[in-house]
Amino acid sequence: MANRHRGEIEAVLDGKPHVLCLTLGALAELETAFGAEDLSALAARFGEGRLSARDAIRILGAGLRGAGAVIDDHQVAAMRAEHGAAGFAGIVSELLGATFGGGGG
């Protein structure tokens, strides 16, 4: 079960519940992937509200790995979410909200 106070969320991917968490290590992974200098730059990038499918894959992959899953981004790219792209966008939004504060919307 996800603990929102620790930045965790639960999402259904491929019909199974998964916990996602952007730990410090996962955030460092995303800083590198997005070329962000620090957490403020990373948060600002995400705050723009424009994410590509590749961005979503990276964020979801980092969140899954941060919660302990052994998965690579190619496997994440093949996953399915309820409501398709909108479902993925909602999961990413909730995860970023749990990590950086806010309502996750």
Side-chain angles (χ1 to χ4, degrees), residues 4-95:
R4 183 89 177 183
H5 295 289
R6 292 190 323 209
E8 297 173 347
I9 67 160
E10 186 172 302
V12 177
L13 298 165
D14 283 344
K16 300 174 195 160
H18 294 272
V19 173
L20 293 87
C21 182
L22 291 177
T23 60
L24 196 56
L27 290 167
E29 176 185 332
L30 292 175
E31 284 175 345
T32 299
F34 293 119
E37 285 189 29
D38 54 32
L39 287 174
S40 294
L42 194 62
R45 185 185 195 290
F46 296 150
E48 293 174 1
R50 293 179 34 181
L51 295 173
S52 68
R54 184 179 5 229
D55 295 344
I57 291 166
R58 289 174 172 163
I59 293 165
L60 293 173
L64 288 163
R65 288 186 290 276
V70 178
I71 192 167
D72 64 35
D73 285 350
H74 294 290
Q75 292 168 300
V76 174
M79 293 179 124
R80 293 185 176 103
E82 191 171 312
H83 306 296
F88 282 117
I91 294 167
V92 169
S93 177
E94 184 179 0
L95 181 58

